[in-house]
């Protein structure tokens, strides 16, 4: 079967998409990186296409002992992409596995210096900027550009989870009781002020009494002996 000219050109050329790079290796020459577009193939060369889009790797749950002796399960994820295609393909056999292990070790080192209460209150702050920067340097050595490392979850043992839940419920109940006491105190203070005002102004007290009577009631004013004319 004879090939058409177009088919022969396709066999002799290589198309690299906009989200890819191609690593070209020719014996006796430095490794070259081909960008997006169509490139002519060399007979003695080998080609490796790499995806340069950002990707996410999830670190499997691992058990870590905190500073106060509590074993917690921690999960994390990292956003990364290929930064140096040559280093990515030539430094280590599994560059992503290399970074994965570095993240696991960084998590263990960071969490072992904190107690469980701190981890529960602010789990995303467990990795300091210095630790993340060290991870970025380690990733760069194998051709990976590390954008972010985030601690997703910090899971406590069941008994501690129940204790923390009870603590939160008790705190909310105490807050509700405090608000109720404040409202009752404000109401009593208002009633005391009103009673003092009525005591100082008898006419106002009588007017308030009249206002409180049902509609249609008859009111008879009784004068004190001192108020009667001679």
């Amino acid at each position: 079967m004879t090939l058409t000219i177009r088919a022969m050109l396709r066999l002799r050329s290589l198309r690299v998409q906009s989200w890819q790079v191609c690593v070209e290796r020719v014996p006796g020459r430095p490794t070259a990186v081909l960008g997006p577009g169509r490139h002519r193939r060399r007979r003695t060369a080998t080609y490796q296409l790499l995806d340069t889009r950002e990707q996410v790797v999830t670190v499997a749950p691992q058990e870590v002992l905190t500073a106060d002796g509590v074993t917690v399960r921690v999960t994390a994820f990292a956003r990364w992409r290929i930064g140096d295609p040559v280093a990515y393909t030539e430094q280590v056999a599994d560059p992503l596995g290399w970074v994965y292990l570095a993240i696991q070790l960084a998590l263990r080192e960071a969490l072992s210096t904190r107690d469980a209460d701190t981890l529960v209150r602010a789990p995303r702050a467990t990795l300091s900027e210095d630790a993340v920067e060290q991870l970025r340097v380690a990733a760069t050595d194998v051709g990976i550009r590390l954008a972010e490392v985030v601690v997703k979850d910090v899971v406590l043992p069941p008994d501690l989870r129940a204790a923390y839940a009870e603590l939160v419920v008790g705190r909310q109940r105490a807050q509700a009781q405090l608000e109720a006491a404040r409202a009752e105190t404000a109401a009593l203070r208002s009633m005391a002020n009103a009673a003092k005002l009525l005591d100082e102004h008898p006419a106002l007290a009588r007017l308030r009494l009249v206002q409180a009577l049902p509609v249609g009631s008859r009111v008879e004013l009784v004068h004190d002996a001192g108020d009667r004319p001679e």
Side-chain angles (χ1 to χ4, degrees), residues 9 22 27 31 45 57 85 95 127 138 149 160 182 184 215:
L9 289 176
C22 182
T31 302
V57 57
L127 282 181
V149 179
L160 276 184
R182 288 176 177 172
E184 184 177 357
V215 179

Side-chain angles (χ1 to χ4, degrees), residues 62-81:
Q62 58 176 334
E63 294 186 350
V64 179
L65 191 65
T66 62
D68 52 352
V70 178
T71 301
V72 296
R73 290 175 62 85
V74 183
T75 60
F77 73 88
R79 295 191 296 111
W80 68 280
R81 64 174 54 192

Side-chain angles (χ1 to χ4, degrees), residues 95-172:
L96 185 57
W98 179 278
V99 175
Y100 187 97
L101 178 59
I103 293 175
Q104 284 185 317
L105 295 177
L107 284 173
R108 288 184 176 275
E109 182 178 356
L111 301 185
S112 62
T113 60
R114 299 173 181 251
D115 54 33
D117 186 66
T118 302
L119 296 179
V120 172
R121 293 179 184 274
R124 293 183 182 271
T126 51
L127 282 181
S128 64
E129 188 60 33
D130 292 340
V132 175
E133 187 60 30
Q134 291 177 4
L135 286 174
R136 289 195 179 104
V137 172
T140 302
D141 292 340
V142 294
I144 290 179
R145 183 181 303 165
L146 198 60
E148 183 183 22
V149 179
V150 176
V151 178
K152 289 175 56 179
D153 300 302
V154 177
V155 182
L156 295 174
D159 53 346
L160 276 184
R161 288 204 303 269
Y164 271 104
E166 186 177 350
L167 178 62
V168 172
V169 172
R171 187 182 297 119
Q172 294 299 323

Side-chain angles (χ1 to χ4, degrees), residues 21-50:
V21 294
C22 182
V23 178
E24 180 189 60
R25 293 184 176 85
V26 180
R29 295 185 181 181
T31 302
V33 178
L34 308 179
R38 185 178 290 277
H39 304 274
R40 185 177 179 181
R41 289 178 178 269
R42 300 175 183 269
R43 292 184 177 179
T44 58
T46 59
Y47 298 89
Q48 183 178 0
L49 286 172
L50 299 175

